[in-house]
Amino acid sequence: MDDDAANPLPRRRAGAAGVGAAGAADAGTPSAGIPSAGTPGAGRVTAAMVAREAGVSTATVSLVVSGKAQGRISAANREKVRAAVERLGYVVDTAGSTLSKGFSPVVVLVATDIANPFYAELISEARAALGDRYELLLSVGGPGRQIDPATIRKLLSLRPAGFLIDAPNAELVAALPPGTRAVLLDAPGLQGGLPSVNLDVADGAAQLARHLASQGHRNMGYLDSTIDAATFRVRREAFRETAAELGLEVLDGAASLTDIDAAAEAFAEAWPAWGAAGVTAVVGCTDTHAYGILGAAAEAGVAVPRRLAVAGFDDLPYSRHTSPPLTSVSLPSGELGAAAGRTLRALIEGGSPEHEHVEVPSRLVARASTSRG
């Protein structure tokens, strides 16, 4: 029996271009005059057009382009289809496939302040954990602006398989429609009934406060983020609470985007008051903020660490190469992305995540920027 005849999939009906359904009757009779995708004025190349070009059925085309032809379609016919796909420039209609099969290959990563180098490893590891079946798309808020509920509704119109939502605020989590397949990343205290993968930023902040106290600092400044995200609130509050327990004073009120120049400007504005108040250490809420502090301090002639200790959060790869090397709370973004990708994939594919809520440990990496030794 012909391998196409054994296939129970229905044949595609004629399209607007007037191309008839291809089957066994037209085997071996490739059509002439079908324009390729690159031909000026040509319409979208369809599976029926590929079938006619190859001299096979549309069912055969479907099996070959979906990778399901092994053992069902002869090697000769597989080669015919591949050659026709190449000649015509056929692209699979994934939107139509999503609607007809109830499956979407698209996962959307919602991120804030993508200028932060923290995201590079997170994205890479999340993509690897999802596997080749899925495509990872990135949706980013503008400078200083988080993705809002209205944007999530627009993204839902794409019918994605699921969402990875990094550093959301409470408003966004509350606005997610019931049944949305989503995993929250770096969103301490904001589960909202959804699986989450969090960095233990509170413990890292406490470690940093204790470290600075051990170096003899009693008055400290804190350069915050302008982004309203739970992760920044938790690290700020945990640092202040631990400092208070140790009898230290923390001056804040300065904030900027996750941008080196913006952070430098914010520090330069805050430093006259902080310096007059006896501040001897300043913490940036990210390493990028700390880089701005280092640059502005050098420009102002403030010696680090002799006059001013500087620290941050993230422990980015660059932090060991700053001058001096930067003390930082290590927040492993790769582990965060990998765990989130595995959790979402389990949700999409009908299983249960191994753990509904995962917490990735943080640790302090002390370097020369805070050393008084």
Side-chain angles (χ1 to χ4, degrees):
M1 180 181 291
D2 184 87
D3 53 7
D4 294 335
N7 190 334
L9 295 178
R11 302 182 188 277
R12 180 171 290 182
R13 302 182 68 179
V19 179
D26 56 21
T29 56
S31 63
I34 297 179
S36 71
T39 303
R44 182 177 66 84
V45 177
T46 66
M49 294 163 71
V50 173
R52 185 166 178 177
E53 176 77 6
V56 298
S57 70
T58 53
T60 295
V61 172
S62 176
L63 287 170
V64 173
V65 299
S66 66
K68 299 177 181 178
Q70 192 66 36
R72 305 172 71 178
I73 304 298
S74 67
N77 278 350
R78 292 200 301 271
E79 187 53 41
K80 287 180 184 178
V81 171
R82 293 187 186 110
V85 166
E86 178 100 15
R87 285 194 298 272
L88 300 182
Y90 175 63
V91 177
V92 178
D93 181 2
T94 55
S97 176
T98 295
L99 294 175
S100 64
K101 299 178 183 177
F103 169 77
S104 169
V106 173
V107 168
V108 179
L109 171 62
V110 176
T112 300
D113 227 355
I114 196 66
N116 190 342
F118 174 85
Y119 283 104
E121 193 172 359
L122 186 157
I123 293 170
S124 175
E125 293 299 321
R127 176 70 188 84
L130 286 166
D132 293 340
R133 190 183 187 196
Y134 300 95
E135 294 298 329
L136 185 63
L137 303 186
L138 184 62
S139 180
V140 184
R145 181 179 63 82
Q146 284 198 314
I147 294 289
D148 56 21
T151 301
I152 290 290
R153 287 192 291 273
K154 292 177 185 176
L155 293 170
L156 283 167
S157 70
L158 301 175
R159 304 193 184 192
F163 290 91
L164 297 171
I165 305 178
D166 183 72
N169 58 22
E171 178 189 12
L172 178 58
V173 174
L176 291 173
T180 301
R181 286 189 294 259
V183 176
L184 305 181
L185 291 72
D186 199 11
L190 295 183
Q191 282 91 2
L194 295 169
S196 64
V197 181
N198 287 316
L199 297 162
D200 192 356
V201 292
D203 183 60
Q207 291 180 49
L208 178 55
R210 289 192 291 268
H211 167 72
L212 292 174
S214 74
Q215 296 293 306
H217 298 285
R218 292 294 175 263
N219 295 283
M220 297 175 287
Y222 192 91
L223 180 56
D224 209 350
S225 173
T226 54
I227 300 293
D228 174 28
T231 183
F232 294 124
R233 173 182 54 79
V234 169
R235 62 187 75 179
R236 176 181 66 246
E237 292 178 357
F239 182 80
R240 289 181 62 90
E241 289 171 5
T242 304
E245 292 170 2
L246 297 169
L248 314 181
E249 183 177 359
V250 179
L251 301 181
D252 51 21
S256 78
L257 295 174
T258 310
D259 173 85
I260 294 175
D261 290 338
E265 183 177 345
F267 170 77
E269 291 177 0
W271 177 244
W274 284 357
V279 166
T280 59
V282 176
V283 174
C285 66
T286 71
D287 279 6
T288 304
H289 286 80
Y291 300 158
I293 296 168
L294 287 173
E299 189 170 330
V302 179
V304 177
R306 183 167 52 83
R307 169 63 182 89
L308 182 70
V310 179
F313 286 80
D314 291 338
D315 192 30
L316 299 175
Y318 315 125
S319 296
R320 71 194 69 167
H321 303 297
T322 56
S323 181
L326 181 68
T327 290
S328 183
V329 176
S330 176
L331 302 176
S333 63
E335 292 182 36
L336 180 73
R342 290 193 298 268
T343 301
L344 183 60
R345 183 170 179 176
L347 284 179
I348 294 169
E349 296 178 358
S352 297
E354 184 177 355
H355 301 287
E356 284 285 328
H357 305 295
V358 177
E359 189 165 71
V360 178
S362 62
R363 65 183 181 89
L364 179 70
V365 181
R367 298 191 179 97
S369 70
T370 58
S371 173
R372 283 187 162 181

